[in-house]
Amino acid sequence: MIIVKRIEQILIKVIIIQFVFLLLTQLMFHQLDIMPKLNQLTKYEGVNESTLTEILQTFQRGK
């Protein structure tokens, strides 16, 4: 039982650390504009240009 409790504690710590790194990475990429080429690529690919109707049409095509 002690081993299971210790593994749970380790997993919770790993999850928290990964969540913090995810937030920091998102902040760096989107707010601080660390990699402007990545931002240009997403605009070129049209990732940011999708409207709600285009997204809904995409989901309807998948059925």
Side-chain angles (χ1 to χ4, degrees), residues 2 9 14 33 38 53 60:
I2 296 173
Q9 290 173 351
V14 168
D33 203 22
L38 182 65
T53 54
Q60 289 174 353

Side-chain angles (χ1 to χ4, degrees), residues 3-4 7 10 15 21-22 24 26 29-31 33 42 53-54:
I3 295 173
V4 174
I7 292 173
I10 292 172
I15 290 170
F21 276 113
L22 173 70
L24 289 174
Q26 293 293 324
F29 281 148
H30 296 291
Q31 300 299 323
D33 203 22
T42 56
T53 54
E54 290 173 350

Side-chain angles (χ1 to χ4, degrees), residues 34-61:
I34 297 295
M35 296 180 68
K37 292 282 186 191
L38 182 65
N39 195 12
Q40 289 175 354
L41 181 64
T42 56
K43 287 183 181 175
Y44 174 75
E45 293 291 330
V47 175
N48 295 333
E49 305 281 330
S50 296
T51 62
L52 182 60
T53 54
E54 290 173 350
I55 292 171
L56 290 176
Q57 288 174 351
T58 304
F59 282 129
Q60 289 174 353
R61 284 186 212 146

